[in-house]
């Protein structure tokens, strides 16, 4: 049974593309019900359309947060969404949506949380001069990038890196870590215990053990 998933974006949608590619390759057991953007010109909407996925713009412009989120919840409910994936969605989510989809919203952040939360993870880590950075997939709560961590991927800074090479390598790591977290969620292998996310062993691997 394929998990019905909505992907929320605000921009380019390269993470969305990674999810689409793995879904089409049969390595991610999900049905992407819709892609929702708060920006009409987000390139990710075009990526969705190209793959026959419903691309919905719900602009946040001129709306109170509650009103904007009510529209998103209506869309998610109407499409029977089980999991909401934030893939470059650049707005904080509020109480109503998170209460309705409790434990069912995950986000990818381009730094090793709790370092460098917010909208400029790559820039902040690079400008700070870190030797190791990476990305974090976490459950979403009402804070800014504060929810329990599911997976992290590591991006060591190379001596000859430029900001752009650092960011590009980081993005390619994101494109692996986010689908993997979705896979774990869909397999029912994630359990939140306080701040910790417990990952159950892969039943296929356990079955191979003697
Ligand atoms: C990604 O680096 C993602 O981690 C980041 O936005 C980028 C979106 O790229 N998200 C955040 O910073 C959220 N705080 P994409 O549109 O090409 O997937």
């Amino acid at each position: 049974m394929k998990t019905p998933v909505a992907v929320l974006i605000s921009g380019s949608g390269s993470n969305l593309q990674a999810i689409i590619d793995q879904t089409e390759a049969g390595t991610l057991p999900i049905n992407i019900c819709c892609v929702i953007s708060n920006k009409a010109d987000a390139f990710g909407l075009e990526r969705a359309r190209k793959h026959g996925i419903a691309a919905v713009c719900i602009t946040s412009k001129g709306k109170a947060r509650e009103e904007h989120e009510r529209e998103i919840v209506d869309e998610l409910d109407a499409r029977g969404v089980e999991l909401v994936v934030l893939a470059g969605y650049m707005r904080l989510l509020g109480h109503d949506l998170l209460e309705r989809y409790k434990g069912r919203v995950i986000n990818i952040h381009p730094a090793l949380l709790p370092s460098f939360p917010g909208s400029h993870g790559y820039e902040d880590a690079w400008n700070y001069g870190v030797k190791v950075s990476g990305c974090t997939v976490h459950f979403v709560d009402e804070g800014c990038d504060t929810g329990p961590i599911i997976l992290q991927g590591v991006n060591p800074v190379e001596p000859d890196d430029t900001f752009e090479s650092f960011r590009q390598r980081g993005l390619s790591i994101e494109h692996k870590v986010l689908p993997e977290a979705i896979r774990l969620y869909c397999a029912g292998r994630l359990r939140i215990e306080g701040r910790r996310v417990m990952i159950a062993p892969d039943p296929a691997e356990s079955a191979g053990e003697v």
Side-chain angles (χ1 to χ4, degrees):
M1 152 73 177
K2 291 184 174 179
T3 306
V5 171
V7 183
L8 269 57
I9 60 162
S10 299
S12 152
S14 71
N15 277 287
L16 164 68
Q17 189 67 55
I19 297 168
I20 293 172
D21 291 346
Q22 290 216 19
T23 305
E24 291 184 348
T27 52
L28 203 48
I30 64 172
N31 170 32
I32 307 173
C33 306
C34 61
V35 170
I36 301 176
S37 171
N38 62 321
K39 297 256 163 72
D41 60 354
F43 182 61
L45 288 173
E46 273 182 47
R47 294 183 195 262
R49 283 186 207 108
K50 201 171 152 206
H51 290 266
I53 299 166
V56 183
C57 174
I58 303 181
T59 179
S60 43
K61 233 187 209 159
K63 290 174 194 160
R65 182 181 302 282
E66 294 73 21
E67 182 189 356
H68 181 233
E69 287 195 8
R70 202 175 323 114
E71 290 179 23
I72 297 177
V73 168
D74 287 348
E75 190 70 37
L76 300 174
D77 287 355
R79 293 180 183 274
V81 168
E82 152 72 21
L83 173 68
V84 180
V85 176
L86 310 186
Y89 184 69
M90 304 307 271
R91 276 173 71 87
L92 287 178
L93 294 178
H95 179 78
D96 293 352
L97 191 152
L98 291 173
E99 201 46 41
R100 170 129 190 94
Y101 285 85
K102 207 181 178 77
R104 298 193 284 147
V105 184
I106 68 174
N107 175 50
I108 180 136
H109 181 74
L112 292 175
L113 293 171
S115 293
F116 312 115
S119 309
H120 306 285
Y122 282 118
E123 289 83 352
D124 293 346
W126 177 260
N127 291 335
Y128 198 88
V130 297
K131 298 295 187 199
V132 175
S133 192
C135 61
T136 304
V137 180
H138 61 93
F139 283 106
V140 175
D141 63 14
E142 286 182 50
C144 177
D145 301 322
T146 50
I149 291 172
I150 301 168
L151 288 177
Q152 293 186 302
V154 174
N155 181 13
V157 179
E158 306 291 349
D160 58 352
D161 262 342
T162 59
F163 171 70
E164 206 38 41
S165 64
F166 165 69
R167 194 179 76 90
Q168 284 304 331
R169 195 174 52 251
L171 270 170
S172 65
I173 296 165
E174 291 188 44
H175 299 162
K176 295 189 180 77
V177 175
L178 181 56
E180 180 58 22
I182 297 171
R183 227 181 330 271
L184 290 169
Y185 178 94
C186 294
R189 291 174 58 196
L190 302 178
R191 196 178 72 250
I192 305 173
E193 282 185 14
R195 276 226 50 89
R196 211 166 288 277
V197 177
M198 310 306 287
I199 303 177
D202 183 348
E205 278 177 24
S206 317
E209 285 169 13
V210 257

Tab-separated table of all heavy atoms in Angstrom, residues 140-161:
chain	number	residue	atom	x	y	z
A	140	VAL	N	8.344	17.979	12.463
A	140	VAL	CA	8.139	19.418	12.622
A	140	VAL	C	7.283	19.695	13.850
A	140	VAL	O	6.252	19.047	14.055
A	140	VAL	CB	7.473	19.993	11.353
A	140	VAL	CG1	7.127	21.477	11.539
A	140	VAL	CG2	8.396	19.815	10.154
A	141	ASP	N	7.757	20.640	14.662
A	141	ASP	CA	6.924	21.157	15.756
A	141	ASP	C	6.763	22.663	15.530
A	141	ASP	O	7.146	23.174	14.474
A	141	ASP	CB	7.506	20.780	17.126
A	141	ASP	CG	8.871	21.406	17.363
A	141	ASP	OD1	9.258	22.332	16.598
A	141	ASP	OD2	9.555	20.988	18.317
A	142	GLU	N	6.239	23.370	16.530
A	142	GLU	CA	5.932	24.780	16.288
A	142	GLU	C	7.156	25.695	16.369
A	142	GLU	O	7.062	26.883	16.096
A	142	GLU	CB	4.821	25.244	17.237
A	142	GLU	CG	3.475	24.690	16.805
A	142	GLU	CD	2.320	25.159	17.680
A	142	GLU	OE1	2.195	26.370	17.909
A	142	GLU	OE2	1.557	24.281	18.135
A	143	GLY	N	8.302	25.141	16.765
A	143	GLY	CA	9.514	25.953	16.811
A	143	GLY	C	10.149	26.063	15.439
A	143	GLY	O	9.663	25.491	14.458
A	144	CYS	N	11.256	26.795	15.384
A	144	CYS	CA	11.980	26.930	14.118
A	144	CYS	C	13.054	25.848	14.050
A	144	CYS	O	14.102	25.977	14.691
A	144	CYS	CB	12.590	28.330	14.023
A	144	CYS	SG	13.554	28.550	12.539
A	145	ASP	N	12.783	24.768	13.336
A	145	ASP	CA	13.729	23.659	13.150
A	145	ASP	C	14.107	22.979	14.463
A	145	ASP	O	15.271	22.606	14.677
A	145	ASP	CB	15.006	24.156	12.415
A	145	ASP	CG	14.684	24.744	11.056
A	145	ASP	OD1	13.808	24.203	10.376
A	145	ASP	OD2	15.299	25.759	10.681
A	146	THR	N	13.124	22.820	15.341
A	146	THR	CA	13.403	22.288	16.682
A	146	THR	C	12.864	20.877	16.926
A	146	THR	O	13.081	20.324	17.999
A	146	THR	CB	12.797	23.217	17.763
A	146	THR	OG1	11.432	23.469	17.416
A	146	THR	CG2	13.536	24.523	17.870
A	147	GLY	N	12.165	20.294	15.970
A	147	GLY	CA	11.507	19.002	16.218
A	147	GLY	C	12.486	17.839	16.297
A	147	GLY	O	13.654	17.951	15.897
A	148	PRO	N	12.031	16.681	16.812
A	148	PRO	CA	12.886	15.503	16.972
A	148	PRO	C	13.526	15.048	15.658
A	148	PRO	O	12.862	14.980	14.620
A	148	PRO	CB	11.915	14.432	17.503
A	148	PRO	CG	10.769	15.177	18.065
A	148	PRO	CD	10.655	16.448	17.297
A	149	ILE	N	14.815	14.737	15.750
A	149	ILE	CA	15.625	14.428	14.562
A	149	ILE	C	15.450	12.976	14.119
A	149	ILE	O	15.593	12.047	14.919
A	149	ILE	CB	17.112	14.720	14.859
A	149	ILE	CG1	17.308	16.239	15.004
A	149	ILE	CG2	18.012	14.158	13.757
A	149	ILE	CD1	18.686	16.645	15.476
A	150	ILE	N	15.171	12.798	12.831
A	150	ILE	CA	15.018	11.453	12.253
A	150	ILE	C	16.367	10.963	11.712
A	150	ILE	O	16.850	9.898	12.079
A	150	ILE	CB	13.967	11.459	11.119
A	150	ILE	CG1	12.615	11.931	11.661
A	150	ILE	CG2	13.855	10.068	10.481
A	150	ILE	CD1	11.584	12.246	10.571
A	151	LEU	N	16.952	11.735	10.821
A	151	LEU	CA	18.233	11.349	10.195
A	151	LEU	C	19.081	12.596	9.959
A	151	LEU	O	18.537	13.688	9.766
A	151	LEU	CB	17.998	10.704	8.823
A	151	LEU	CG	17.394	9.305	8.712
A	151	LEU	CD1	17.210	8.955	7.232
A	151	LEU	CD2	18.261	8.263	9.407
A	152	GLN	N	20.381	12.406	9.952
A	152	GLN	CA	21.281	13.482	9.546
A	152	GLN	C	22.281	12.929	8.534
A	152	GLN	O	22.670	11.755	8.612
A	152	GLN	CB	22.022	14.076	10.756
A	152	GLN	CG	21.050	14.813	11.691
A	152	GLN	CD	21.724	15.535	12.825
A	152	GLN	OE1	22.431	14.909	13.605
A	152	GLN	NE2	21.491	16.834	12.926
A	153	GLY	N	22.678	13.767	7.612
A	153	GLY	CA	23.711	13.396	6.637
A	153	GLY	C	24.868	14.360	6.810
A	153	GLY	O	24.661	15.537	7.112
A	154	VAL	N	26.080	13.865	6.623
A	154	VAL	CA	27.273	14.667	6.919
A	154	VAL	C	27.920	15.177	5.632
A	154	VAL	O	28.081	14.433	4.673
A	154	VAL	CB	28.268	13.812	7.735
A	154	VAL	CG1	29.573	14.567	7.937
A	154	VAL	CG2	27.655	13.452	9.084
A	155	ASN	N	28.295	16.448	5.645
A	155	ASN	CA	28.950	17.094	4.510
A	155	ASN	C	30.240	17.759	5.004
A	155	ASN	O	30.213	18.912	5.434
A	155	ASN	CB	27.986	18.136	3.914
A	155	ASN	CG	28.569	18.840	2.701
A	155	ASN	OD1	29.581	18.408	2.133
A	155	ASN	ND2	27.942	19.940	2.309
A	156	PRO	N	31.361	17.033	4.933
A	156	PRO	CA	32.623	17.636	5.403
A	156	PRO	C	33.071	18.744	4.452
A	156	PRO	O	32.920	18.604	3.242
A	156	PRO	CB	33.623	16.472	5.358
A	156	PRO	CG	32.850	15.250	4.983
A	156	PRO	CD	31.562	15.685	4.375
A	157	VAL	N	33.608	19.825	4.994
A	157	VAL	CA	34.099	20.921	4.149
A	157	VAL	C	35.483	20.534	3.636
A	157	VAL	O	36.366	20.183	4.410
A	157	VAL	CB	34.168	22.238	4.952
A	157	VAL	CG1	34.700	23.374	4.070
A	157	VAL	CG2	32.791	22.592	5.508
A	158	GLU	N	35.643	20.565	2.297
A	158	GLU	CA	36.931	20.211	1.685
A	158	GLU	C	37.788	21.473	1.586
A	158	GLU	O	37.257	22.576	1.433
A	158	GLU	CB	36.707	19.638	0.268
A	158	GLU	CG	35.731	18.465	0.188
A	158	GLU	CD	36.277	17.196	0.840
A	158	GLU	OE1	37.481	17.166	1.162
A	158	GLU	OE2	35.486	16.249	1.038
A	159	PRO	N	39.142	21.284	1.632
A	159	PRO	CA	40.022	22.462	1.626
A	159	PRO	C	39.816	23.361	0.404
A	159	PRO	O	39.950	24.581	0.500
A	159	PRO	CB	41.437	21.859	1.609
A	159	PRO	CG	41.285	20.449	2.078
A	159	PRO	CD	39.880	20.020	1.771
A	160	ASP	N	39.507	22.761	-0.750
A	160	ASP	CA	39.360	23.595	-1.958
A	160	ASP	C	37.905	23.937	-2.266
A	160	ASP	O	37.579	24.370	-3.364
A	160	ASP	CB	40.014	22.896	-3.162
A	160	ASP	CG	39.402	21.513	-3.418
A	160	ASP	OD1	38.590	21.057	-2.568
A	160	ASP	OD2	39.714	20.896	-4.454
A	161	ASP	N	37.029	23.753	-1.298
A	161	ASP	CA	35.612	24.091	-1.521
A	161	ASP	C	35.409	25.586	-1.752
A	161	ASP	O	36.085	26.416	-1.144
A	161	ASP	CB	34.774	23.707	-0.282
A	161	ASP	CG	34.077	22.359	-0.438
A	161	ASP	OD1	33.954	21.889	-1.582
A	161	ASP	OD2	33.675	21.795	0.590
